[in-house]
Amino acid sequence: VNVRCGESAVEHDDGFYIRRCVEIARKAVGHTSPNPMVGCVIVKDGKIVGEGFHPKAGQPHAEVFALRDAGDLAENATAFVSLEPCNHYGRTPPCTEALIKAKVKKVVVGMVDPNPIVASTGVSRLRDAGIEVITGVEEELCRKLNEAYIHQMLTGKPFVTLRYSLSVDGDLLDQLGAEVTESGGYYSKLLQEYDAVVVSSFLLPTNHSILSSKEPGAKQPLQIVLAKSSGSLLLPAVTEISSKTIIFSDEEIVVELEASQRGIETVVLDRMNLTAILEHCKRQGLCNVMLELRGNSAEFEEILQEGFEQNLFQKVIVEVLPILGAGCKEAFKYMQQNRRLKNLTSKTLGKSILLEGYF
Ligand code: AOF
Ligand code: ZN
């Protein structure tokens, strides 16, 4: 789609280049937290002369990579960025200064940065330097790209998604649709977007491998295991646990770890408590968390209640499978709230239907 230097120029509008910024920003999906995903494209005389994206917190920002890629061609060019260029010294120096030094003529910004340290000072710094700045191009797309980062910046809390699979008659199921956990499947792609996935310990012994994304180069989410009810929790052999795991348990349960599993962190809570779990995620710089509900959801009971009462859930993803029953009918008794979802989307996936919406 993009036209590189040397190829013939095609007339594109600003939205085209911001959409390209979003496309390349997503190359770092799952890797940037607590930072946002950002893409930058440098355009001169209708040709893309430089591209870059932010690969990981601590590494240079998108603008820096794009300016490096463009070299001297950045002079008098237009820089397109999916997020307002930063204007502060964080882990890296301000992108505004890099753009000014490179002598770009114009900057087109997808959305302003909700980070209070930046909050429009990037735009004003560029304007003060005589650079023309346009903001709010493909803004909705840019906001969707970083919905977790934005939520976390505005509320100080991780973005939380509830995900589950249902039968057509409304049972909460253990299983997912065919092939969705394989590479390219929606569930495999979803896992790479989340910094952490919360599951019930019931799921672990038999089924935990489905908690890893099969996308090439995916960063695996932290597995947060909830262990409740009296008895003991025996983890599967550590060789089978592909990503980092942390176990939150109540005082009733004994978590038995083998010698090889001693690295697994365990946290004892006096009761199952979503606020405490989210605090822990926040301290680790995790921006988004997925709650994975399966057939036996007893361990989620208090968490669901707390989440709804305190508005801790942002998004819901529901897969409806073409089967009847055989799951847990009781699952949603504690979810009785008359709430309408916003921005609902639906699509068919093979033989299933996938619904997504926001609380
Ligand atoms: C940009 N371009 O590619 C990104 C930006 O600690 P630092 O230096 O990485 O700064 C992190 C903050 O910078 C982050 O919270 C957000 O406000 C902004 N991220 N800005 O101009 C980028 N990733
Ligand atoms: Zn920056």
mmCIF file of all heavy atoms in Angstrom, residues 191 194-197 199 204 208-213 218-225 235 237-246 263-265:
data_model
loop_
_atom_site.group_PDB
_atom_site.id
_atom_site.type_symbol
_atom_site.label_atom_id
_atom_site.label_comp_id
_atom_site.label_asym_id
_atom_site.label_seq_id
_atom_site.Cartn_x
_atom_site.Cartn_y
_atom_site.Cartn_z
ATOM 1 N N LEU A 191 -4.883 -13.032 23.012
ATOM 2 C CA LEU A 191 -3.939 -13.243 24.116
ATOM 3 C C LEU A 191 -2.699 -12.369 23.974
ATOM 4 O O LEU A 191 -2.163 -11.882 24.955
ATOM 5 C CB LEU A 191 -3.523 -14.717 24.198
ATOM 6 C CG LEU A 191 -4.541 -15.684 24.779
ATOM 7 C CD1 LEU A 191 -3.995 -17.101 24.707
ATOM 8 C CD2 LEU A 191 -4.896 -15.339 26.219
ATOM 9 N N TYR A 194 -3.028 -8.842 25.512
ATOM 10 C CA TYR A 194 -3.221 -8.622 26.944
ATOM 11 C C TYR A 194 -1.938 -8.837 27.730
ATOM 12 O O TYR A 194 -1.152 -9.736 27.433
ATOM 13 C CB TYR A 194 -4.365 -9.510 27.469
ATOM 14 C CG TYR A 194 -5.688 -8.887 27.083
ATOM 15 C CD1 TYR A 194 -6.244 -9.111 25.824
ATOM 16 C CD2 TYR A 194 -6.319 -7.988 27.932
ATOM 17 C CE1 TYR A 194 -7.414 -8.474 25.437
ATOM 18 C CE2 TYR A 194 -7.495 -7.348 27.557
ATOM 19 C CZ TYR A 194 -8.030 -7.600 26.314
ATOM 20 O OH TYR A 194 -9.178 -6.950 25.932
ATOM 21 N N ASP A 195 -1.751 -7.980 28.740
ATOM 22 C CA ASP A 195 -0.566 -8.106 29.587
ATOM 23 C C ASP A 195 -0.741 -9.238 30.596
ATOM 24 O O ASP A 195 0.234 -9.827 31.039
ATOM 25 C CB ASP A 195 -0.324 -6.790 30.339
ATOM 26 C CG ASP A 195 -0.002 -5.644 29.387
ATOM 27 O OD1 ASP A 195 0.597 -5.914 28.339
ATOM 28 O OD2 ASP A 195 -0.359 -4.497 29.688
ATOM 29 N N ALA A 196 -1.987 -9.511 30.970
ATOM 30 C CA ALA A 196 -2.245 -10.585 31.941
ATOM 31 C C ALA A 196 -3.598 -11.226 31.661
ATOM 32 O O ALA A 196 -4.512 -10.564 31.176
ATOM 33 C CB ALA A 196 -2.226 -10.014 33.355
ATOM 34 N N VAL A 197 -3.692 -12.520 31.959
ATOM 35 C CA VAL A 197 -4.964 -13.235 31.851
ATOM 36 C C VAL A 197 -5.236 -13.895 33.202
ATOM 37 O O VAL A 197 -4.364 -14.562 33.762
ATOM 38 C CB VAL A 197 -4.917 -14.332 30.764
ATOM 39 C CG1 VAL A 197 -6.253 -15.052 30.681
ATOM 40 C CG2 VAL A 197 -4.590 -13.733 29.419
ATOM 41 N N VAL A 199 -7.268 -16.586 35.367
ATOM 42 C CA VAL A 199 -8.037 -17.818 35.211
ATOM 43 C C VAL A 199 -8.281 -18.481 36.561
ATOM 44 O O VAL A 199 -7.545 -18.247 37.521
ATOM 45 C CB VAL A 199 -7.321 -18.859 34.309
ATOM 46 C CG1 VAL A 199 -7.299 -18.419 32.870
ATOM 47 C CG2 VAL A 199 -5.931 -19.181 34.815
ATOM 48 N N LEU A 204 -6.385 -24.837 35.105
ATOM 49 C CA LEU A 204 -4.952 -25.077 34.900
ATOM 50 C C LEU A 204 -4.504 -26.507 34.623
ATOM 51 O O LEU A 204 -3.835 -26.763 33.626
ATOM 52 C CB LEU A 204 -4.185 -24.549 36.104
ATOM 53 C CG LEU A 204 -3.522 -23.200 35.929
ATOM 54 C CD1 LEU A 204 -2.420 -23.066 36.956
ATOM 55 C CD2 LEU A 204 -2.944 -23.005 34.540
ATOM 56 N N HIS A 208 -4.082 -25.500 30.538
ATOM 57 C CA HIS A 208 -3.417 -24.197 30.586
ATOM 58 C C HIS A 208 -2.701 -23.816 29.306
ATOM 59 O O HIS A 208 -2.490 -22.643 29.053
ATOM 60 C CB HIS A 208 -2.419 -24.177 31.735
ATOM 61 C CG HIS A 208 -1.470 -25.301 31.609
ATOM 62 N ND1 HIS A 208 -0.340 -25.186 30.870
ATOM 63 C CD2 HIS A 208 -1.564 -26.560 32.047
ATOM 64 C CE1 HIS A 208 0.240 -26.367 30.873
ATOM 65 N NE2 HIS A 208 -0.472 -27.195 31.576
ATOM 66 N N SER A 209 -2.333 -24.812 28.473
ATOM 67 C CA SER A 209 -1.543 -24.450 27.296
ATOM 68 C C SER A 209 -2.330 -23.554 26.350
ATOM 69 O O SER A 209 -1.759 -22.801 25.583
ATOM 70 C CB SER A 209 -1.076 -25.694 26.553
ATOM 71 O OG SER A 209 -2.201 -26.350 26.039
ATOM 72 N N ILE A 210 -3.653 -23.602 26.434
ATOM 73 C CA ILE A 210 -4.442 -22.720 25.580
ATOM 74 C C ILE A 210 -4.348 -21.261 26.034
ATOM 75 O O ILE A 210 -4.885 -20.381 25.400
ATOM 76 C CB ILE A 210 -5.920 -23.133 25.506
ATOM 77 C CG1 ILE A 210 -6.511 -23.169 26.887
ATOM 78 C CG2 ILE A 210 -6.093 -24.448 24.768
ATOM 79 C CD1 ILE A 210 -8.011 -23.140 26.849
ATOM 80 N N LEU A 211 -3.651 -21.028 27.144
ATOM 81 C CA LEU A 211 -3.486 -19.642 27.577
ATOM 82 C C LEU A 211 -2.274 -18.984 26.949
ATOM 83 O O LEU A 211 -1.866 -17.908 27.350
ATOM 84 C CB LEU A 211 -3.373 -19.572 29.102
ATOM 85 C CG LEU A 211 -4.662 -19.879 29.833
ATOM 86 C CD1 LEU A 211 -4.429 -19.898 31.327
ATOM 87 C CD2 LEU A 211 -5.732 -18.852 29.487
ATOM 88 N N SER A 212 -1.633 -19.655 26.000
ATOM 89 C CA SER A 212 -0.526 -18.977 25.343
ATOM 90 C C SER A 212 -0.887 -18.678 23.892
ATOM 91 O O SER A 212 -1.492 -19.485 23.208
ATOM 92 C CB SER A 212 0.759 -19.797 25.450
ATOM 93 O OG SER A 212 0.571 -21.048 24.878
ATOM 94 N N SER A 213 -0.483 -17.480 23.472
ATOM 95 C CA SER A 213 -0.743 -17.055 22.103
ATOM 96 C C SER A 213 0.177 -17.819 21.158
ATOM 97 O O SER A 213 1.354 -18.007 21.450
ATOM 98 C CB SER A 213 -0.481 -15.557 21.983
ATOM 99 O OG SER A 213 -0.552 -15.185 20.629
ATOM 100 N N ALA A 218 4.875 -13.503 19.644
ATOM 101 C CA ALA A 218 3.945 -12.931 20.625
ATOM 102 C C ALA A 218 4.590 -12.885 22.002
ATOM 103 O O ALA A 218 5.299 -13.805 22.391
ATOM 104 C CB ALA A 218 2.666 -13.751 20.684
ATOM 105 N N LYS A 219 4.315 -11.797 22.728
ATOM 106 C CA LYS A 219 4.711 -11.770 24.131
ATOM 107 C C LYS A 219 3.583 -12.419 24.917
ATOM 108 O O LYS A 219 2.444 -11.996 24.802
ATOM 109 C CB LYS A 219 4.939 -10.337 24.607
ATOM 110 C CG LYS A 219 5.729 -10.284 25.889
ATOM 111 C CD LYS A 219 5.552 -8.982 26.621
ATOM 112 C CE LYS A 219 4.230 -8.981 27.369
ATOM 113 N NZ LYS A 219 3.864 -7.713 27.947
ATOM 114 N N GLN A 220 3.898 -13.465 25.663
ATOM 115 C CA GLN A 220 2.828 -14.184 26.352
ATOM 116 C C GLN A 220 2.346 -13.390 27.553
ATOM 117 O O GLN A 220 3.139 -12.762 28.254
ATOM 118 C CB GLN A 220 3.341 -15.558 26.819
ATOM 119 C CG GLN A 220 3.834 -16.451 25.700
ATOM 120 C CD GLN A 220 2.766 -16.721 24.634
ATOM 121 O OE1 GLN A 220 1.570 -16.599 24.886
ATOM 122 N NE2 GLN A 220 3.200 -17.067 23.437
ATOM 123 N N PRO A 221 1.036 -13.405 27.789
ATOM 124 C CA PRO A 221 0.529 -12.683 28.963
ATOM 125 C C PRO A 221 0.948 -13.369 30.263
ATOM 126 O O PRO A 221 1.161 -14.583 30.282
ATOM 127 C CB PRO A 221 -0.987 -12.753 28.781
ATOM 128 C CG PRO A 221 -1.238 -13.932 27.909
ATOM 129 C CD PRO A 221 -0.027 -14.076 27.028
ATOM 130 N N LEU A 222 1.051 -12.576 31.303
ATOM 131 C CA LEU A 222 1.237 -13.135 32.639
ATOM 132 C C LEU A 222 -0.013 -13.952 32.964
ATOM 133 O O LEU A 222 -1.120 -13.495 32.714
ATOM 134 C CB LEU A 222 1.397 -11.976 33.638
ATOM 135 C CG LEU A 222 1.358 -12.322 35.118
ATOM 136 C CD1 LEU A 222 2.668 -12.986 35.536
ATOM 137 C CD2 LEU A 222 1.131 -11.080 35.959
ATOM 138 N N GLN A 223 0.166 -15.158 33.496
ATOM 139 C CA GLN A 223 -0.998 -15.954 33.899
ATOM 140 C C GLN A 223 -1.270 -15.707 35.370
ATOM 141 O O GLN A 223 -0.412 -15.964 36.202
ATOM 142 C CB GLN A 223 -0.717 -17.447 33.722
ATOM 143 C CG GLN A 223 -0.556 -17.845 32.282
ATOM 144 C CD GLN A 223 -0.348 -19.353 32.143
ATOM 145 O OE1 GLN A 223 -0.601 -20.132 33.045
ATOM 146 N NE2 GLN A 223 0.134 -19.735 30.984
ATOM 147 N N ILE A 224 -2.448 -15.208 35.654
ATOM 148 C CA ILE A 224 -2.826 -15.014 37.049
ATOM 149 C C ILE A 224 -3.835 -16.100 37.404
ATOM 150 O O ILE A 224 -4.896 -16.195 36.790
ATOM 151 C CB ILE A 224 -3.432 -13.610 37.270
ATOM 152 C CG1 ILE A 224 -2.368 -12.555 36.962
ATOM 153 C CG2 ILE A 224 -3.961 -13.469 38.688
ATOM 154 C CD1 ILE A 224 -2.845 -11.128 37.112
ATOM 155 N N VAL A 225 -3.466 -16.937 38.350
ATOM 156 C CA VAL A 225 -4.320 -18.071 38.710
ATOM 157 C C VAL A 225 -5.002 -17.776 40.040
ATOM 158 O O VAL A 225 -4.341 -17.402 41.006
ATOM 159 C CB VAL A 225 -3.468 -19.354 38.837
ATOM 160 C CG1 VAL A 225 -4.336 -20.531 39.259
ATOM 161 C CG2 VAL A 225 -2.758 -19.650 37.527
ATOM 162 N N LEU A 235 0.100 -27.664 40.963
ATOM 163 C CA LEU A 235 0.279 -27.128 39.613
ATOM 164 C C LEU A 235 0.794 -28.203 38.674
ATOM 165 O O LEU A 235 1.509 -29.102 39.083
ATOM 166 C CB LEU A 235 1.304 -25.999 39.651
ATOM 167 C CG LEU A 235 0.838 -24.692 40.249
ATOM 168 C CD1 LEU A 235 1.924 -23.658 40.062
ATOM 169 C CD2 LEU A 235 -0.440 -24.210 39.601
ATOM 170 N N ALA A 237 3.317 -29.768 35.899
ATOM 171 C CA ALA A 237 4.774 -29.655 35.838
ATOM 172 C C ALA A 237 5.159 -28.354 35.150
ATOM 173 O O ALA A 237 4.532 -27.932 34.194
ATOM 174 C CB ALA A 237 5.342 -30.830 35.077
ATOM 175 N N VAL A 238 6.204 -27.724 35.692
ATOM 176 C CA VAL A 238 6.543 -26.376 35.249
ATOM 177 C C VAL A 238 6.896 -26.328 33.770
ATOM 178 O O VAL A 238 6.694 -25.316 33.101
ATOM 179 C CB VAL A 238 7.668 -25.796 36.133
ATOM 180 C CG1 VAL A 238 9.024 -26.325 35.719
ATOM 181 C CG2 VAL A 238 7.635 -24.282 36.115
ATOM 182 N N THR A 239 7.381 -27.425 33.241
ATOM 183 C CA THR A 239 7.744 -27.451 31.824
ATOM 184 C C THR A 239 6.521 -27.163 30.944
ATOM 185 O O THR A 239 6.644 -26.705 29.836
ATOM 186 C CB THR A 239 8.281 -28.837 31.420
ATOM 187 O OG1 THR A 239 7.414 -29.814 31.971
ATOM 188 C CG2 THR A 239 9.690 -29.045 31.903
ATOM 189 N N GLU A 240 5.356 -27.442 31.487
ATOM 190 C CA GLU A 240 4.143 -27.209 30.702
ATOM 191 C C GLU A 240 3.638 -25.778 30.821
ATOM 192 O O GLU A 240 2.745 -25.383 30.114
ATOM 193 C CB GLU A 240 3.029 -28.148 31.165
ATOM 194 C CG GLU A 240 3.330 -29.610 30.921
ATOM 195 C CD GLU A 240 2.224 -30.454 31.489
ATOM 196 O OE1 GLU A 240 1.062 -30.211 31.142
ATOM 197 O OE2 GLU A 240 2.524 -31.340 32.301
ATOM 198 N N ILE A 241 4.194 -25.036 31.774
ATOM 199 C CA ILE A 241 3.738 -23.652 31.938
ATOM 200 C C ILE A 241 4.615 -22.762 31.080
ATOM 201 O O ILE A 241 5.786 -22.585 31.336
ATOM 202 C CB ILE A 241 3.788 -23.227 33.416
ATOM 203 C CG1 ILE A 241 2.828 -24.095 34.217
ATOM 204 C CG2 ILE A 241 3.435 -21.766 33.553
ATOM 205 C CD1 ILE A 241 2.771 -23.763 35.669
ATOM 206 N N SER A 242 4.017 -22.217 30.035
ATOM 207 C CA SER A 242 4.836 -21.530 29.043
ATOM 208 C C SER A 242 5.153 -20.086 29.405
ATOM 209 O O SER A 242 6.137 -19.539 28.983
ATOM 210 C CB SER A 242 4.135 -21.579 27.689
ATOM 211 O OG SER A 242 2.842 -21.061 27.825
ATOM 212 N N SER A 243 4.308 -19.453 30.184
ATOM 213 C CA SER A 243 4.608 -18.062 30.501
ATOM 214 C C SER A 243 4.652 -17.864 32.003
ATOM 215 O O SER A 243 4.384 -18.771 32.778
ATOM 216 C CB SER A 243 3.581 -17.140 29.858
ATOM 217 O OG SER A 243 2.298 -17.544 30.235
ATOM 218 N N LYS A 244 4.958 -16.668 32.409
ATOM 219 C CA LYS A 244 5.081 -16.355 33.831
ATOM 220 C C LYS A 244 3.734 -16.536 34.519
ATOM 221 O O LYS A 244 2.700 -16.189 33.981
ATOM 222 C CB LYS A 244 5.545 -14.898 33.955
ATOM 223 C CG LYS A 244 6.745 -14.744 34.839
ATOM 224 C CD LYS A 244 7.115 -13.291 35.005
ATOM 225 C CE LYS A 244 7.262 -12.996 36.486
ATOM 226 N NZ LYS A 244 6.740 -11.722 36.898
ATOM 227 N N THR A 245 3.792 -17.084 35.703
ATOM 228 C CA THR A 245 2.551 -17.358 36.423
ATOM 229 C C THR A 245 2.620 -16.758 37.818
ATOM 230 O O THR A 245 3.666 -16.756 38.455
ATOM 231 C CB THR A 245 2.342 -18.887 36.547
ATOM 232 O OG1 THR A 245 2.264 -19.435 35.234
ATOM 233 C CG2 THR A 245 1.080 -19.230 37.303
ATOM 234 N N ILE A 246 1.494 -16.240 38.281
ATOM 235 C CA ILE A 246 1.389 -15.805 39.674
ATOM 236 C C ILE A 246 0.076 -16.355 40.221
ATOM 237 O O ILE A 246 -0.925 -16.396 39.501
ATOM 238 C CB ILE A 246 1.502 -14.267 39.783
ATOM 239 C CG1 ILE A 246 1.178 -13.789 41.177
ATOM 240 C CG2 ILE A 246 0.617 -13.542 38.803
ATOM 241 C CD1 ILE A 246 1.573 -12.339 41.407
ATOM 242 N N GLY A 263 9.971 -20.551 41.545
ATOM 243 C CA GLY A 263 10.020 -19.186 41.009
ATOM 244 C C GLY A 263 8.635 -18.570 40.865
ATOM 245 O O GLY A 263 8.498 -17.366 40.697
ATOM 246 N N ILE A 264 7.621 -19.399 40.931
ATOM 247 C CA ILE A 264 6.263 -18.885 40.747
ATOM 248 C C ILE A 264 5.831 -18.114 41.988
ATOM 249 O O ILE A 264 5.908 -18.616 43.105
ATOM 250 C CB ILE A 264 5.277 -20.051 40.468
ATOM 251 C CG1 ILE A 264 5.633 -20.688 39.122
ATOM 252 C CG2 ILE A 264 3.836 -19.556 40.482
ATOM 253 C CD1 ILE A 264 4.791 -21.878 38.766
ATOM 254 N N GLU A 265 5.398 -16.896 41.768
ATOM 255 C CA GLU A 265 5.020 -16.053 42.894
ATOM 256 C C GLU A 265 3.641 -16.460 43.409
ATOM 257 O O GLU A 265 2.737 -16.735 42.619
ATOM 258 C CB GLU A 265 4.991 -14.592 42.406
ATOM 259 C CG GLU A 265 4.987 -13.586 43.517
ATOM 260 C CD GLU A 265 4.934 -12.150 42.981
ATOM 261 O OE1 GLU A 265 5.248 -11.928 41.782
ATOM 262 O OE2 GLU A 265 4.574 -11.280 43.755
#
